[in-house]
Amino acid sequence: MSVAENFRSIRRELGGAIKLVAVTKNHGVETMREAIDAGATDIGENRIQEAAEKFKTLDRAVIRHLIGHLQTNKVKQAVKLFDLIQSVDSEHLAAALDKAAAASGKVQEILIQVNLAREVQKSGVLLEDLDGLIKFVDAAENLRLRGLMMIAPNFAEVEECRPLFRQMRKLFDELKISREGFDYLSMGMTHDYKIAVEEGANVVRVGTAIFGERLY
Ligand SMILES: *Cc1c(COP(=O)(O)O)cnc(C)c1O
């Protein structure tokens, strides 16, 4: 199937209430364009340099998501390039982003990435540090917290993701009660998005199922 057919089929399957972020990392501009022509409204990239080069060729408004780890020395570019930065996971990074956003006269929308499975060497804030990070972001004048993001571990059995997705949804619901604009729970990729959606994700980030395998 073509990129357009893949995109439309997943779009239909998800229904209207779920945001589908088409993850174009490692694919060329033409491929990105095919997805946008097929109706993609949200594009996800995980590297600043690659995104900068691809986005400058775009002539149509799409919502741009940073889904990969962000280093503090790239925050200025990130603030210029992205509408939603999904991978905020430390006060250090939040502080740098706040400063960069202030300098560009922008309120930067972000998600906090949670390392719920406590995977060593993986990005994301640990659960015990989440409240502190939320307080820090709330106090940052140029950041706006829109929700949470999680990347599930690569289990041998994808069903093993389910309890984690469920726990994230519970956490999200509890936080949402007292917060305004706290709308997005981003979880689920090609191999696990169906389970993520069953457990309450309202943003999924899908690359391979739309574009095929990435060439590295
Ligand atoms: C690459 C990537 C995706 C998409 O992965 P697929 O398995 O190709 O769907 C989703 N989220 C993040 C954070 C990624 O880095």
Side-chain angles (χ1 to χ4, degrees):
M1 289 212 290
S2 68
V3 165
E5 285 167 327
N6 291 337
F7 176 82
R8 290 200 188 104
S9 139
I10 297 170
R11 183 64 281 170
R12 245 192 326 270
E13 173 195 350
L14 291 173
I18 291 166
K19 197 185 246 314
L20 171 56
V21 178
V23 176
T24 47
K25 69 184 184 201
N26 275 73
H27 292 285
V29 168
E30 285 313 312
T31 309
M32 177 186 266
R33 210 169 262 283
E34 274 183 78
I36 295 169
D37 286 343
T41 54
D42 292 76
I43 295 291
E45 284 283 339
N46 71 344
R47 291 210 314 269
I48 301 292
Q49 196 54 45
E50 181 181 341
E53 277 163 28
K54 283 151 80 172
F55 289 165
K56 73 183 173 207
T57 70
L58 287 183
D59 48 11
R60 238 168 323 142
V62 289
I63 300 168
R64 299 154 189 213
H65 300 252
L66 179 63
I67 60 173
H69 180 68
L70 175 60
Q71 290 169 319
T72 48
N73 62 347
K74 306 230 169 99
V75 290
K76 250 193 195 162
Q77 279 174 289
V79 162
K80 289 209 176 79
L81 287 167
F82 291 99
D83 301 300
L84 184 65
I85 296 176
Q86 297 203 8
S87 48
V88 176
D89 64 354
S90 72
E91 291 185 11
H92 180 62
L93 175 58
L97 275 172
D98 183 45
K99 202 170 150 210
S104 341
K106 177 184 184 185
V107 173
Q108 178 66 55
E109 303 208 337
I110 65 161
L111 304 183
I112 290 178
Q113 181 179 352
V114 183
N115 185 355
L116 193 62
R118 315 186 71 83
E119 288 185 284
V120 181
Q121 312 263 312
K122 289 272 177 80
S123 300
V125 65
L126 295 174
L127 200 50
E128 61 267 32
D129 300 325
L130 178 61
D131 281 348
L133 182 52
I134 289 176
K135 282 205 183 77
F136 186 89
V137 169
D138 283 345
E141 274 183 29
N142 295 83
L143 299 180
R144 181 158 189 246
L145 182 58
R146 300 300 312 274
L148 302 176
M149 186 269 246
M150 184 192 62
I151 303 173
N154 247 321
F155 293 117
E157 272 299 322
V158 68
E159 268 296 324
E160 289 181 62
C161 295
R162 191 181 293 279
L164 292 171
F165 290 145
R166 189 168 296 177
Q167 198 184 337
M168 280 296 293
R169 179 67 204 209
K170 193 160 167 265
L171 194 59
F172 173 77
D173 284 339
E174 284 162 7
L175 288 166
K176 187 172 171 53
I177 292 169
S178 58
R179 311 188 67 84
E180 214 179 288
F182 194 82
D183 297 323
Y184 298 132
L185 179 58
S186 172
M187 50 188 198
M189 331 184 357
T190 291
H191 68 290
D192 58 12
Y193 76 86
K194 286 177 204 203
I195 297 174
V197 165
E198 282 167 11
E199 296 302 334
N202 58 25
V203 179
V204 295
R205 313 173 305 266
V206 180
T208 308
I210 299 172
F211 302 107
E213 293 293 333
R214 287 179 287 275
L215 301 173
Y216 286 97

mmCIF file with all atom_site columns, all heavy atoms in Angstrom, residues 177-194:
data_model
loop_
_atom_site.group_PDB
_atom_site.id
_atom_site.type_symbol
_atom_site.label_atom_id
_atom_site.label_alt_id
_atom_site.label_comp_id
_atom_site.label_asym_id
_atom_site.label_entity_id
_atom_site.label_seq_id
_atom_site.pdbx_PDB_ins_code
_atom_site.Cartn_x
_atom_site.Cartn_y
_atom_site.Cartn_z
_atom_site.occupancy
_atom_site.B_iso_or_equiv
_atom_site.pdbx_formal_charge
_atom_site.auth_seq_id
_atom_site.auth_comp_id
_atom_site.auth_asym_id
_atom_site.auth_atom_id
_atom_site.pdbx_PDB_model_num
ATOM 1   N N   . ILE A 1 177 ? -7.983  16.752 36.210 1.00 0.00 ? 177 ILE A N   1
ATOM 2   C CA  . ILE A 1 177 ? -9.086  17.292 37.012 1.00 0.00 ? 177 ILE A CA  1
ATOM 3   C C   . ILE A 1 177 ? -8.861  18.765 37.379 1.00 0.00 ? 177 ILE A C   1
ATOM 4   O O   . ILE A 1 177 ? -9.754  19.593 37.248 1.00 0.00 ? 177 ILE A O   1
ATOM 5   C CB  . ILE A 1 177 ? -9.284  16.468 38.316 1.00 0.00 ? 177 ILE A CB  1
ATOM 6   C CG1 . ILE A 1 177 ? -9.796  15.076 37.962 1.00 0.00 ? 177 ILE A CG1 1
ATOM 7   C CG2 . ILE A 1 177 ? -10.260 17.168 39.269 1.00 0.00 ? 177 ILE A CG2 1
ATOM 8   C CD1 . ILE A 1 177 ? -9.770  14.115 39.145 1.00 0.00 ? 177 ILE A CD1 1
ATOM 9   N N   . SER A 1 178 ? -7.658  19.061 37.811 1.00 0.00 ? 178 SER A N   1
ATOM 10  C CA  . SER A 1 178 ? -7.406  20.408 38.339 1.00 0.00 ? 178 SER A CA  1
ATOM 11  C C   . SER A 1 178 ? -6.642  21.292 37.360 1.00 0.00 ? 178 SER A C   1
ATOM 12  O O   . SER A 1 178 ? -6.121  22.329 37.756 1.00 0.00 ? 178 SER A O   1
ATOM 13  C CB  . SER A 1 178 ? -6.630  20.283 39.654 1.00 0.00 ? 178 SER A CB  1
ATOM 14  O OG  . SER A 1 178 ? -5.428  19.584 39.412 1.00 0.00 ? 178 SER A OG  1
ATOM 15  N N   . ARG A 1 179 ? -6.559  20.889 36.076 1.00 0.00 ? 179 ARG A N   1
ATOM 16  C CA  . ARG A 1 179 ? -5.705  21.649 35.159 1.00 0.00 ? 179 ARG A CA  1
ATOM 17  C C   . ARG A 1 179 ? -6.456  22.079 33.911 1.00 0.00 ? 179 ARG A C   1
ATOM 18  O O   . ARG A 1 179 ? -7.319  21.371 33.418 1.00 0.00 ? 179 ARG A O   1
ATOM 19  C CB  . ARG A 1 179 ? -4.492  20.816 34.745 1.00 0.00 ? 179 ARG A CB  1
ATOM 20  C CG  . ARG A 1 179 ? -3.773  20.184 35.913 1.00 0.00 ? 179 ARG A CG  1
ATOM 21  C CD  . ARG A 1 179 ? -2.493  19.541 35.466 1.00 0.00 ? 179 ARG A CD  1
ATOM 22  N NE  . ARG A 1 179 ? -1.571  20.569 35.020 1.00 0.00 ? 179 ARG A NE  1
ATOM 23  C CZ  . ARG A 1 179 ? -0.781  21.261 35.829 1.00 0.00 ? 179 ARG A CZ  1
ATOM 24  N NH1 . ARG A 1 179 ? -0.776  21.022 37.101 1.00 0.00 ? 179 ARG A NH1 1
ATOM 25  N NH2 . ARG A 1 179 ? 0.007   22.185 35.343 1.00 0.00 ? 179 ARG A NH2 1
ATOM 26  N N   . GLU A 1 180 ? -6.067  23.227 33.417 1.00 0.00 ? 180 GLU A N   1
ATOM 27  C CA  . GLU A 1 180 ? -6.670  23.735 32.188 1.00 0.00 ? 180 GLU A CA  1
ATOM 28  C C   . GLU A 1 180 ? -5.740  23.465 31.001 1.00 0.00 ? 180 GLU A C   1
ATOM 29  O O   . GLU A 1 180 ? -4.520  23.632 31.133 1.00 0.00 ? 180 GLU A O   1
ATOM 30  C CB  . GLU A 1 180 ? -6.863  25.240 32.325 1.00 0.00 ? 180 GLU A CB  1
ATOM 31  C CG  . GLU A 1 180 ? -8.109  25.758 31.627 1.00 0.00 ? 180 GLU A CG  1
ATOM 32  C CD  . GLU A 1 180 ? -8.224  27.247 31.836 1.00 0.00 ? 180 GLU A CD  1
ATOM 33  O OE1 . GLU A 1 180 ? -8.534  27.636 32.987 1.00 0.00 ? 180 GLU A OE1 1
ATOM 34  O OE2 . GLU A 1 180 ? -7.970  27.993 30.879 1.00 0.00 ? 180 GLU A OE2 1
ATOM 35  N N   . GLY A 1 181 ? -6.298  23.039 29.879 1.00 0.00 ? 181 GLY A N   1
ATOM 36  C CA  . GLY A 1 181 ? -5.471  22.810 28.688 1.00 0.00 ? 181 GLY A CA  1
ATOM 37  C C   . GLY A 1 181 ? -4.610  21.565 28.767 1.00 0.00 ? 181 GLY A C   1
ATOM 38  O O   . GLY A 1 181 ? -3.724  21.353 27.956 1.00 0.00 ? 181 GLY A O   1
ATOM 39  N N   . PHE A 1 182 ? -4.892  20.737 29.776 1.00 0.00 ? 182 PHE A N   1
ATOM 40  C CA  . PHE A 1 182 ? -4.133  19.493 29.948 1.00 0.00 ? 182 PHE A CA  1
ATOM 41  C C   . PHE A 1 182 ? -4.882  18.408 29.176 1.00 0.00 ? 182 PHE A C   1
ATOM 42  O O   . PHE A 1 182 ? -5.709  17.679 29.716 1.00 0.00 ? 182 PHE A O   1
ATOM 43  C CB  . PHE A 1 182 ? -4.042  19.166 31.441 1.00 0.00 ? 182 PHE A CB  1
ATOM 44  C CG  . PHE A 1 182 ? -3.022  18.119 31.799 1.00 0.00 ? 182 PHE A CG  1
ATOM 45  C CD1 . PHE A 1 182 ? -1.684  18.454 31.939 1.00 0.00 ? 182 PHE A CD1 1
ATOM 46  C CD2 . PHE A 1 182 ? -3.399  16.799 32.018 1.00 0.00 ? 182 PHE A CD2 1
ATOM 47  C CE1 . PHE A 1 182 ? -0.741  17.485 32.294 1.00 0.00 ? 182 PHE A CE1 1
ATOM 48  C CE2 . PHE A 1 182 ? -2.467  15.833 32.377 1.00 0.00 ? 182 PHE A CE2 1
ATOM 49  C CZ  . PHE A 1 182 ? -1.140  16.179 32.506 1.00 0.00 ? 182 PHE A CZ  1
ATOM 50  N N   . ASP A 1 183 ? -4.615  18.344 27.871 1.00 0.00 ? 183 ASP A N   1
ATOM 51  C CA  . ASP A 1 183 ? -5.497  17.598 26.967 1.00 0.00 ? 183 ASP A CA  1
ATOM 52  C C   . ASP A 1 183 ? -4.893  16.351 26.347 1.00 0.00 ? 183 ASP A C   1
ATOM 53  O O   . ASP A 1 183 ? -5.623  15.517 25.830 1.00 0.00 ? 183 ASP A O   1
ATOM 54  C CB  . ASP A 1 183 ? -5.914  18.517 25.810 1.00 0.00 ? 183 ASP A CB  1
ATOM 55  C CG  . ASP A 1 183 ? -6.716  19.702 26.285 1.00 0.00 ? 183 ASP A CG  1
ATOM 56  O OD1 . ASP A 1 183 ? -7.514  19.535 27.225 1.00 0.00 ? 183 ASP A OD1 1
ATOM 57  O OD2 . ASP A 1 183 ? -6.536  20.810 25.731 1.00 0.00 ? 183 ASP A OD2 1
ATOM 58  N N   . TYR A 1 184 ? -3.563  16.255 26.320 1.00 0.00 ? 184 TYR A N   1
ATOM 59  C CA  . TYR A 1 184 ? -2.950  15.220 25.494 1.00 0.00 ? 184 TYR A CA  1
ATOM 60  C C   . TYR A 1 184 ? -2.262  14.135 26.299 1.00 0.00 ? 184 TYR A C   1
ATOM 61  O O   . TYR A 1 184 ? -1.439  14.403 27.163 1.00 0.00 ? 184 TYR A O   1
ATOM 62  C CB  . TYR A 1 184 ? -1.918  15.849 24.555 1.00 0.00 ? 184 TYR A CB  1
ATOM 63  C CG  . TYR A 1 184 ? -2.505  16.848 23.590 1.00 0.00 ? 184 TYR A CG  1
ATOM 64  C CD1 . TYR A 1 184 ? -1.923  18.099 23.413 1.00 0.00 ? 184 TYR A CD1 1
ATOM 65  C CD2 . TYR A 1 184 ? -3.650  16.541 22.858 1.00 0.00 ? 184 TYR A CD2 1
ATOM 66  C CE1 . TYR A 1 184 ? -2.458  19.015 22.521 1.00 0.00 ? 184 TYR A CE1 1
ATOM 67  C CE2 . TYR A 1 184 ? -4.187  17.455 21.971 1.00 0.00 ? 184 TYR A CE2 1
ATOM 68  C CZ  . TYR A 1 184 ? -3.592  18.693 21.810 1.00 0.00 ? 184 TYR A CZ  1
ATOM 69  O OH  . TYR A 1 184 ? -4.125  19.599 20.941 1.00 0.00 ? 184 TYR A OH  1
ATOM 70  N N   . LEU A 1 185 ? -2.611  12.908 25.944 1.00 0.00 ? 185 LEU A N   1
ATOM 71  C CA  . LEU A 1 185 ? -1.891  11.758 26.467 1.00 0.00 ? 185 LEU A CA  1
ATOM 72  C C   . LEU A 1 185 ? -1.306  11.020 25.269 1.00 0.00 ? 185 LEU A C   1
ATOM 73  O O   . LEU A 1 185 ? -2.021  10.336 24.520 1.00 0.00 ? 185 LEU A O   1
ATOM 74  C CB  . LEU A 1 185 ? -2.825  10.850 27.274 1.00 0.00 ? 185 LEU A CB  1
ATOM 75  C CG  . LEU A 1 185 ? -2.159  9.592  27.836 1.00 0.00 ? 185 LEU A CG  1
ATOM 76  C CD1 . LEU A 1 185 ? -0.966  9.927  28.732 1.00 0.00 ? 185 LEU A CD1 1
ATOM 77  C CD2 . LEU A 1 185 ? -3.168  8.744  28.603 1.00 0.00 ? 185 LEU A CD2 1
ATOM 78  N N   . SER A 1 186 ? -0.003  11.223 25.070 1.00 0.00 ? 186 SER A N   1
ATOM 79  C CA  . SER A 1 186 ? 0.673   10.720 23.875 1.00 0.00 ? 186 SER A CA  1
ATOM 80  C C   . SER A 1 186 ? 1.350   9.399  24.189 1.00 0.00 ? 186 SER A C   1
ATOM 81  O O   . SER A 1 186 ? 2.364   9.347  24.882 1.00 0.00 ? 186 SER A O   1
ATOM 82  C CB  . SER A 1 186 ? 1.707   11.768 23.414 1.00 0.00 ? 186 SER A CB  1
ATOM 83  O OG  . SER A 1 186 ? 2.515   11.260 22.372 1.00 0.00 ? 186 SER A OG  1
ATOM 84  N N   . MET A 1 187 ? 0.777   8.319  23.684 1.00 0.00 ? 187 MET A N   1
ATOM 85  C CA  . MET A 1 187 ? 1.409   7.011  23.847 1.00 0.00 ? 187 MET A CA  1
ATOM 86  C C   . MET A 1 187 ? 0.934   6.070  22.746 1.00 0.00 ? 187 MET A C   1
ATOM 87  O O   . MET A 1 187 ? -0.194  6.141  22.301 1.00 0.00 ? 187 MET A O   1
ATOM 88  C CB  . MET A 1 187 ? 1.177   6.436  25.246 1.00 0.00 ? 187 MET A CB  1
ATOM 89  C CG  . MET A 1 187 ? -0.244  6.436  25.748 1.00 0.00 ? 187 MET A CG  1
ATOM 90  S SD  . MET A 1 187 ? -0.343  5.934  27.488 1.00 0.00 ? 187 MET A SD  1
ATOM 91  C CE  . MET A 1 187 ? -2.095  5.515  27.579 1.00 0.00 ? 187 MET A CE  1
ATOM 92  N N   . GLY A 1 188 ? 1.828   5.196  22.323 1.00 0.00 ? 188 GLY A N   1
ATOM 93  C CA  . GLY A 1 188 ? 1.519   4.255  21.253 1.00 0.00 ? 188 GLY A CA  1
ATOM 94  C C   . GLY A 1 188 ? 2.260   4.594  19.978 1.00 0.00 ? 188 GLY A C   1
ATOM 95  O O   . GLY A 1 188 ? 2.258   5.739  19.529 1.00 0.00 ? 188 GLY A O   1
ATOM 96  N N   . MET A 1 189 ? 2.964   3.596  19.452 1.00 0.00 ? 189 MET A N   1
ATOM 97  C CA  . MET A 1 189 ? 3.680   3.690  18.185 1.00 0.00 ? 189 MET A CA  1
ATOM 98  C C   . MET A 1 189 ? 3.212   2.521  17.308 1.00 0.00 ? 189 MET A C   1
ATOM 99  O O   . MET A 1 189 ? 2.247   1.854  17.668 1.00 0.00 ? 189 MET A O   1
ATOM 100 C CB  . MET A 1 189 ? 5.202   3.621  18.397 1.00 0.00 ? 189 MET A CB  1
ATOM 101 C CG  . MET A 1 189 ? 5.570   4.166  19.726 1.00 0.00 ? 189 MET A CG  1
ATOM 102 S SD  . MET A 1 189 ? 7.292   4.328  20.267 1.00 0.00 ? 189 MET A SD  1
ATOM 103 C CE  . MET A 1 189 ? 8.329   3.679  19.032 1.00 0.00 ? 189 MET A CE  1
ATOM 104 N N   . THR A 1 190 ? 3.908   2.255  16.212 1.00 0.00 ? 190 THR A N   1
ATOM 105 C CA  . THR A 1 190 ? 3.415   1.246  15.279 1.00 0.00 ? 190 THR A CA  1
ATOM 106 C C   . THR A 1 190 ? 3.025   -0.077 15.954 1.00 0.00 ? 190 THR A C   1
ATOM 107 O O   . THR A 1 190 ? 1.935   -0.596 15.734 1.00 0.00 ? 190 THR A O   1
ATOM 108 C CB  . THR A 1 190 ? 4.462   0.993  14.179 1.00 0.00 ? 190 THR A CB  1
ATOM 109 O OG1 . THR A 1 190 ? 4.523   2.169  13.365 1.00 0.00 ? 190 THR A OG1 1
ATOM 110 C CG2 . THR A 1 190 ? 4.090   -0.207 13.318 1.00 0.00 ? 190 THR A CG2 1
ATOM 111 N N   . HIS A 1 191 ? 3.908   -0.605 16.799 1.00 0.00 ? 191 HIS A N   1
ATOM 112 C CA  . HIS A 1 191 ? 3.642   -1.961 17.291 1.00 0.00 ? 191 HIS A CA  1
ATOM 113 C C   . HIS A 1 191 ? 2.656   -1.993 18.461 1.00 0.00 ? 191 HIS A C   1
ATOM 114 O O   . HIS A 1 191 ? 2.118   -3.045 18.776 1.00 0.00 ? 191 HIS A O   1
ATOM 115 C CB  . HIS A 1 191 ? 4.955   -2.657 17.683 1.00 0.00 ? 191 HIS A CB  1
ATOM 116 C CG  . HIS A 1 191 ? 5.618   -2.057 18.872 1.00 0.00 ? 191 HIS A CG  1
ATOM 117 N ND1 . HIS A 1 191 ? 6.197   -0.810 18.824 1.00 0.00 ? 191 HIS A ND1 1
ATOM 118 C CD2 . HIS A 1 191 ? 5.768   -2.506 20.149 1.00 0.00 ? 191 HIS A CD2 1
ATOM 119 C CE1 . HIS A 1 191 ? 6.698   -0.535 20.024 1.00 0.00 ? 191 HIS A CE1 1
ATOM 120 N NE2 . HIS A 1 191 ? 6.450   -1.538 20.834 1.00 0.00 ? 191 HIS A NE2 1
ATOM 121 N N   . ASP A 1 192 ? 2.422   -0.826 19.095 1.00 0.00 ? 192 ASP A N   1
ATOM 122 C CA  . ASP A 1 192 ? 1.576   -0.894 20.292 1.00 0.00 ? 192 ASP A CA  1
ATOM 123 C C   . ASP A 1 192 ? 0.445   0.145  20.333 1.00 0.00 ? 192 ASP A C   1
ATOM 124 O O   . ASP A 1 192 ? -0.225  0.272  21.354 1.00 0.00 ? 192 ASP A O   1
ATOM 125 C CB  . ASP A 1 192 ? 2.443   -0.791 21.565 1.00 0.00 ? 192 ASP A CB  1
ATOM 126 C CG  . ASP A 1 192 ? 3.272   0.494  21.632 1.00 0.00 ? 192 ASP A CG  1
ATOM 127 O OD1 . ASP A 1 192 ? 3.034   1.409  20.831 1.00 0.00 ? 192 ASP A OD1 1
ATOM 128 O OD2 . ASP A 1 192 ? 4.168   0.572  22.504 1.00 0.00 ? 192 ASP A OD2 1
ATOM 129 N N   . TYR A 1 193 ? 0.215   0.857  19.217 1.00 0.00 ? 193 TYR A N   1
ATOM 130 C CA  . TYR A 1 193 ? -0.769  1.947  19.322 1.00 0.00 ? 193 TYR A CA  1
ATOM 131 C C   . TYR A 1 193 ? -2.195  1.451  19.540 1.00 0.00 ? 193 TYR A C   1
ATOM 132 O O   . TYR A 1 193 ? -3.009  2.123  20.166 1.00 0.00 ? 193 TYR A O   1
ATOM 133 C CB  . TYR A 1 193 ? -0.692  2.911  18.114 1.00 0.00 ? 193 TYR A CB  1
ATOM 134 C CG  . TYR A 1 193 ? -1.306  2.422  16.827 1.00 0.00 ? 193 TYR A CG  1
ATOM 135 C CD1 . TYR A 1 193 ? -2.658  2.594  16.558 1.00 0.00 ? 193 TYR A CD1 1
ATOM 136 C CD2 . TYR A 1 193 ? -0.529  1.793  15.870 1.00 0.00 ? 193 TYR A CD2 1
ATOM 137 C CE1 . TYR A 1 193 ? -3.225  2.147  15.380 1.00 0.00 ? 193 TYR A CE1 1
ATOM 138 C CE2 . TYR A 1 193 ? -1.076  1.349  14.679 1.00 0.00 ? 193 TYR A CE2 1
ATOM 139 C CZ  . TYR A 1 193 ? -2.416  1.520  14.440 1.00 0.00 ? 193 TYR A CZ  1
ATOM 140 O OH  . TYR A 1 193 ? -2.966  1.063  13.280 1.00 0.00 ? 193 TYR A OH  1
ATOM 141 N N   . LYS A 1 194 ? -2.495  0.243  19.029 1.00 0.00 ? 194 LYS A N   1
ATOM 142 C CA  . LYS A 1 194 ? -3.865  -0.249 19.229 1.00 0.00 ? 194 LYS A CA  1
ATOM 143 C C   . LYS A 1 194 ? -4.157  -0.450 20.712 1.00 0.00 ? 194 LYS A C   1
ATOM 144 O O   . LYS A 1 194 ? -5.223  -0.086 21.208 1.00 0.00 ? 194 LYS A O   1
ATOM 145 C CB  . LYS A 1 194 ? -4.076  -1.565 18.466 1.00 0.00 ? 194 LYS A CB  1
ATOM 146 C CG  . LYS A 1 194 ? -4.182  -1.301 16.980 1.00 0.00 ? 194 LYS A CG  1
ATOM 147 C CD  . LYS A 1 194 ? -4.322  -2.539 16.139 1.00 0.00 ? 194 LYS A CD  1
ATOM 148 C CE  . LYS A 1 194 ? -3.825  -2.150 14.759 1.00 0.00 ? 194 LYS A CE  1
ATOM 149 N NZ  . LYS A 1 194 ? -4.209  -2.839 13.633 1.00 0.00 ? 194 LYS A NZ  1
#
